[in-house]
Amino acid sequence: MTLAVGGLALDLWSKSAVFAWLGAPDGSTGWLLDGWVKYRFYTTFNEGALWGVGQGFTWAFALFSVVAAAGVIYWLFVAGAARSWWLTVSLAFVMAGTLGNLYDRLGLHGEVDAAGVARAAVRDFFHFRLGTFDWAIFNVADVFLVTGAIMLGLQSFAAEAAARPAATDRKNEFGDAVGRAA
């Protein structure tokens, strides 16, 4: 849980710092890298998910975040994933990212729209462009979520390989060992 809390703190601090520095929305540093790979800090609010998919469904993503956080807690402490260092770290990353973006989706960051209503939207600020392709603008919570998801994917491949019987343990339809050197 220390890793999840630390990740959450880093995410919330980075969002607050960048938005205080550049303002929002549309605050920008200009391109810091300006070749085929371009990079800048660019503040924006995302009321959807990756690449802005699902704009206006912040409540649904917030609900999904609550379910995901409950699932991570269950997986770690009830289903026993906390016995594995790899699963614990990957789920802590997922939890940090989930809670960081949930905080924003609930409008707890203090940003308001023109009417003075709290913005229920995720604060994003990392902007990359690869050639003519604009990558999704994202934040530290998203980095944690993606890293945790990749780690879970790698874990599933490792678990699948470990579950397969070794060549010497397999038998053919006649009950003879298959794969052993004669």
Side-chain angles (χ1 to χ4, degrees), residues 2 13 20 27-28 38 46 52 54 62 72 76 80-81 84 86 88 96 99 102 107 114 119 123 126 131 153 160 172:
T2 303
W13 172 82
S28 175
K38 293 184 173 197
N46 184 356
V72 166
L76 276 171
S84 163
W86 186 268
T88 300
L99 294 177
L102 176 62
R119 282 188 173 238
R123 297 171 290 170
F126 291 128
E160 184 179 302
N172 65 16

Side-chain angles (χ1 to χ4, degrees), residues 112-172:
V112 295
D113 63 17
V117 177
R119 282 188 173 238
V122 173
R123 297 171 290 170
D124 289 328
F125 56 87
F126 291 128
H127 182 204
F128 284 89
R129 182 175 290 159
L130 309 172
T132 59
F133 179 71
D134 262 327
W135 192 258
I137 301 172
F138 59 100
N139 59 44
V140 172
D142 298 329
V143 172
F144 283 126
L145 283 166
V146 169
T147 302
I150 289 169
M151 289 177 71
L152 288 172
L154 292 172
Q155 171 67 24
S156 72
F157 290 127
E160 184 179 302
R164 269 189 248 128
T168 58
D169 295 340
R170 290 186 302 203
K171 299 189 187 274
N172 65 16

